[in-house]
Amino acid sequence: MTRKVTVLGSLNSDTILHIDHLPVQGETMAMTDASTAPGGKGANQAVAAQRLGAQVHFIGAVGQDQNGELLLNALQADGVDTTHIAQLANVGTGAAYILLESDSNNTILILGGANQQVSETNVDEAEKTIQSSKVLVAQFETPIVATLQAFKLAKSAGVMTILNPAPGHKEIPKELLGLTDLITPNETEAEIITGIPVNDDISMINASNKMQEMGAKNVIITLGERGAYYQLADGHHGFEPALKVKAVDTTAAGDTFIGALATKLAPDMTNLVESVRFASAASALTVQGAGAQPSIPTLKKMKEV
């Protein structure tokens, strides 16, 4: 049976600016290229899960504008259910401006737009969808109050919850963390959440301990090209190295990892290592292509390599 995954999150129109290096203050710089693509952490994660074998339902919002139509069409073309994406008047669709350096690293500027209008009402309208899902995934590019409401509905029905705390927040509600089965920050977000710089094995363990003390049950800290550290509620922990590939664009690597996890991970975490390896392989394929959603692999592509 196809796994049903619901994603609560953002939809952005991405503008990718290709540059040699980040400009310093006062510097004028020529771009080497510019392109556009559908994006947003939520949408990227939804596309990844859909392409990798799940049936995905999306909760979010776009403006009543051309970009909103393009983003809806892109999700629908992948088979994502967009029934619970609101089309709002008098607010623009979310946008992201990605500064892509020649070494494949990126810096991203976000204009929230309609994403910041996602409300508890939008979530309540999707209650049956959430509670009939196997997994609920959310990030922080939409309001935390909506995420909290979604997680309440999910846990009341025994649905597994994955919180990708991106962008990082210093003060995550304790109630939300208590409803989180798995939290998945990168090293920067883990430091923002815990105040502990994540730069070695001890700091990964300490940051994970702190997040568990704060209420999260299980933790995965993603470390980009290095790999991922995991720590479970039962004390089991370990590190999975990333596959070594030549990166072209790392924009959607983390989102692919989350979406891939959502398609595989068992609620009791017994297949976590297998799921992390699958997610890492998917991310490795993503970074070898340009653009966010265009580079996310399908399950067929995964099987070919």
Side-chain angles (χ1 to χ4, degrees):
M1 178 181 290
T2 301
R3 172 177 281 200
K4 182 176 177 181
V5 174
T6 295
V7 177
L8 165 63
S10 57
L11 301 102
N12 290 330
S13 174
D14 287 355
T15 299
I16 304 106
L17 308 177
H18 300 250
I19 58 177
D20 182 63
H21 62 273
L22 285 180
V24 298
Q25 189 171 18
E27 179 181 5
T28 299
M29 175 185 293
M31 295 181 292
T32 59
D33 196 7
S35 56
T36 59
K41 287 186 179 298
N44 295 344
Q45 292 171 16
V47 167
Q50 182 75 30
R51 289 182 186 173
L52 294 170
Q55 174 54 59
V56 180
H57 297 252
F58 199 94
I59 305 168
V62 295
Q64 292 180 0
D65 51 27
Q66 185 178 20
N67 282 339
E69 287 294 331
L70 289 172
L71 294 178
L72 286 174
N73 290 340
L75 288 180
Q76 291 164 1
D78 267 302
V80 174
D81 187 294
T82 61
T83 301
H84 297 295
I85 298 178
Q87 293 179 273
L88 306 178
N90 304 316
V91 61
T93 297
Y97 301 88
I98 301 167
L99 306 180
L100 178 61
E101 299 175 73
S102 58
D103 64 1
S104 82
N105 287 311
N106 62 68
T107 303
I108 304 175
L109 305 174
I110 300 291
L111 180 64
N115 295 314
Q116 291 305 309
Q117 303 302 313
V118 176
S119 68
E120 294 164 287
T121 299
N122 298 124
V123 170
D124 287 339
E125 290 171 351
E127 178 177 358
K128 290 182 180 178
T129 296
I130 292 170
Q131 295 188 330
S132 62
S133 297
K134 189 77 171 180
V135 187
L136 172 66
V137 181
Q139 325 77 36
F140 283 158
E141 286 185 345
T142 49
I144 288 179
V145 291
T147 301
L148 178 58
Q149 178 64 9
F151 275 39
K152 287 179 181 178
L153 293 176
K155 295 316 298 176
S156 70
V159 176
M160 180 169 64
T161 54
I162 298 176
L163 178 63
N164 178 221
H169 277 252
K170 289 185 178 180
E171 297 183 5
I172 302 175
K174 187 175 180 62
E175 184 179 10
L176 178 59
L177 289 173
L179 295 167
T180 298
D181 292 312
L182 174 66
I183 190 168
T184 60
N186 63 22
E187 65 266 56
T188 302
E189 293 148 3
E191 180 178 354
I192 291 171
I193 294 166
T194 66
I196 300 170
V198 177
N199 46 34
D200 57 24
D201 291 352
I202 296 299
S203 59
M204 286 190 294
I205 293 170
N206 290 340
S208 298
N209 287 341
K210 181 70 176 291
M211 282 183 274
Q212 289 179 323
E213 290 167 6
M214 294 167 71
K217 299 174 184 65
N218 304 285
V219 179
I220 295 177
I221 300 177
T222 57
L223 301 147
E225 64 183 12
R226 287 178 287 167
Y229 172 79
Y230 59 88
Q231 186 164 305
L232 303 185
D234 64 5
H236 186 65
H237 62 90
F239 185 85
E240 282 296 323
L243 298 175
K244 301 302 180 184
V245 298
K246 182 174 176 56
V248 173
D249 180 357
T250 61
T251 302
D255 295 331
T256 300
F257 185 93
I258 303 303
L261 269 183
T263 69
K264 293 288 184 185
L265 188 60
D268 61 6
M269 305 289 158
T270 51
N271 68 339
L272 183 132
V273 173
E274 174 190 344
S275 299
V276 167
R277 289 173 180 168
F278 175 77
S280 295
S283 294
L285 285 173
T286 295
V287 302
Q288 295 178 72
Q293 290 176 28
S295 65
I296 296 171
T298 61
L299 193 58
K300 180 181 179 181
K301 180 69 173 178
M302 291 280 290
K303 291 177 179 179
E304 290 174 352
V305 297

